[in-house]
Amino acid sequence: MITSVLPTYARAPLSFVRGEGSWLFEAGGDRYLDLGAGIAVNALGHANPDLIGALTAQANKVWHVSNLYQIPEQQALADKLVDNSFADTVFFTNSGTEAAELAIKMARKYHYDRGDKDRIEIITFSGCFHGRSTGAIAASGSEKMVKGFGPLMPGFVHLEFGDHEALKAAVGPKTAAILIEPVQGEGGIRPVPDQCLKGLRDMCDEAGALLIFDEVQCGMGRTGKLFAHEWAGVTPDILMSAKGIGGGFPLGAVLATESAASGMVVGTHGSTYGGNPLACAVGNKIMDVIANDAFLSEVNRKGGLFRQKLEGLVAAHPDVFESVRGEGLMLGLKCKIAPADVVKAGYDAGVITVPAADNVVRLLPPLNITDADIDEGVALLDQAAKALEG
Ligand SMILES: *Cc1c(COP(=O)(O)O)cnc(C)c1O
């Protein structure tokens, strides 16, 4: 008999009733160090007093009004994102996959309005993940996600990650946009080298195509810059955000330049919930805490510390781990055994990690994790590795 919750997830037998900082607690009192943060979502940890304050203050005023009216909290958050990024304008969604939908629509409309109606192709790369809507699975093209759900939205060109020759051959007069994660998340914490991001920017400029960065996972301070592409010194035309931007409250956003967004006039897109007062009250607080040099340099320092300790862990367990990868607090342990087994052993030891493709276990802790919790996390992972070596 089917379960009352649609069984699309193979859930771990863990059930948390409370969180505090980087820790999660089960009803019986067992505690787990959360190095997954709900898949890079709880940017400021659990039960953060600032976020609780922002959410409850708004909850006592007004929850929802719809986008038929002015929403001061949404206006304030859009201003903050524009002030702190390449973007001139922002649309708010409730999730990453909705951000993908708008990014795709926006890119096609841009070319359509220029009379370039055949420019509908969007180039994506193997290992990418842009969400689970029909548009986003078509963008990914991965067999695992699309099988049985056809016919798929046409117009996506799937290339091998890192295949420069194929890319050069694929970009042309039909290319509407290149869509890429500056650091692949689900794909296994695979950073795109700065030189390649620069190369993509140049290619798009030459071909008259738009560049879309999916920073749903790698953005909002995760790599030690507000947005990961800042490391490469290039900017996209369109950027997708979600996950950390709401700190656990459902919120996403599409950021764009004035030019890229020029086709999105009144009536071309909408969302009932997107950018509602509750979500934006939280988003504003997240931006206030994260979008400054002091906070981001701490993310870098902690990322460096964590990485250094993880190198030691890998050296101590050469049969379990192969290497450390990633940037800031978006780290991955490349494993020599099935990552699911490492994650499971972590649960037994009291530490939460997240599996990814390419035999990688992801470490995506709250960005405000303490040094002591980083120490403890590595100790718990060490315990897990020892148990695996049995
Ligand atoms: C999680 C994720 C998405 C999809 O976000 P949802 O909120 O689950 O729809 C899109 N892109 C990337 C890079 C992601 O990590």
Side-chain angles (χ1 to χ4, degrees), residues 33-64:
L33 183 62
D34 187 4
L35 300 182
I39 320 180
V41 167
N42 302 95
L44 301 180
H46 299 282
N48 179 280
D50 290 338
L51 295 185
I52 292 173
L55 183 63
T56 52
Q58 187 59 44
N60 282 302
K61 291 194 256 176
V62 63
W63 289 21
H64 178 82

Side-chain angles (χ1 to χ4, degrees), residues 70-382:
Q70 310 292 320
I71 300 178
E73 298 77 18
Q74 184 182 127
Q75 180 64 57
L77 180 53
D79 288 344
K80 282 174 199 171
L81 288 165
V82 165
D83 286 347
N84 285 281
S85 75
F86 72 97
D88 302 311
T89 188
V90 183
F91 183 92
F92 293 101
T93 67
N94 310 286
S95 67
T97 206
E98 286 170 75
E101 294 296 321
L102 173 54
I104 294 162
K105 283 176 70 175
M106 188 182 279
R108 287 187 175 168
K109 186 67 159 45
Y110 169 88
H111 296 294
Y112 179 92
D113 284 357
R114 274 162 184 71
D116 220 347
K117 298 190 170 67
D118 291 334
R119 247 191 214 272
I120 54 112
E121 286 183 358
I122 296 178
I123 294 174
T124 64
F125 301 90
S126 57
C128 71
F129 182 81
H130 304 296
R132 297 290 199 146
S133 58
T134 50
I137 61 172
S140 147
S142 107
E143 165 93 0
K144 189 179 127 203
M145 279 191 278
V146 305
K147 196 173 177 205
F149 298 116
L152 298 173
M153 182 196 293
F156 292 99
V157 176
H158 306 111
L159 302 181
E160 208 48 49
F161 184 87
D163 187 342
H164 296 106
E165 293 311 312
L167 181 60
K168 270 181 213 145
V171 176
K174 289 185 79 179
T175 309
I178 295 177
L179 166 57
I180 192 166
E181 295 158 78
V183 185
Q184 278 193 351
E186 305 301 312
I189 313 292
R190 296 201 292 177
V192 179
D194 290 353
Q195 272 315 110
C196 295
L197 289 180
K198 287 197 179 93
L200 289 173
R201 178 71 274 175
D202 291 343
M203 269 182 158
C204 285
D205 290 345
E206 269 166 43
L210 298 178
L211 182 58
I212 307 172
F213 287 157
D214 180 346
E215 295 224 17
V216 168
Q217 194 160 151
C218 64
M220 292 310 291
R222 180 70 31 205
T223 68
K225 294 270 190 198
L226 183 60
F227 292 111
H229 68 263
E230 294 171 31
W231 290 111
V234 296
T235 57
D237 301 290
I238 300 171
L239 178 143
M240 298 151 50
S241 181
K243 293 202 165 94
I245 196 174
F249 199 96
L251 177 63
V254 173
L255 284 65
T257 62
E258 180 167 13
S259 168
S262 57
M264 303 308 294
V265 297
V266 169
T268 54
H269 198 62
S271 168
T272 299
Y273 278 130
N276 99 345
L278 286 175
C280 289
V282 177
N284 272 293
K285 181 55 78 178
I286 293 267
M287 277 297 285
D288 292 346
V289 174
I290 289 180
N292 62 79
D293 289 343
F295 185 90
L296 293 169
S297 69
E298 271 295 279
V299 172
N300 281 309
R301 186 187 62 77
K302 287 173 192 177
L305 178 74
F306 202 176
R307 197 189 175 108
Q308 189 193 332
K309 289 175 185 288
L310 290 171
E311 300 282 4
L313 179 81
V314 169
H317 302 284
D319 294 336
V320 179
F321 302 117
E322 187 175 312
S323 58
V324 187
R325 48 164 91 160
E327 282 170 24
L329 287 171
M330 185 172 188
L331 296 167
L333 283 169
K334 172 103 174 161
C335 300
K336 287 193 179 150
I337 62 173
D341 292 342
V342 176
V343 171
K344 166 81 174 54
Y347 296 153
D348 295 338
V351 60
I352 294 168
T353 58
V354 184
D358 204 26
N359 249 36
V360 164
V361 167
R362 276 177 285 178
L363 306 169
L364 309 159
L367 302 181
N368 60 357
I369 187 172
T370 63
D371 290 11
D373 283 345
I374 289 175
D375 275 349
E376 184 138 14
V378 176
L380 293 170
L381 289 167
D382 183 64

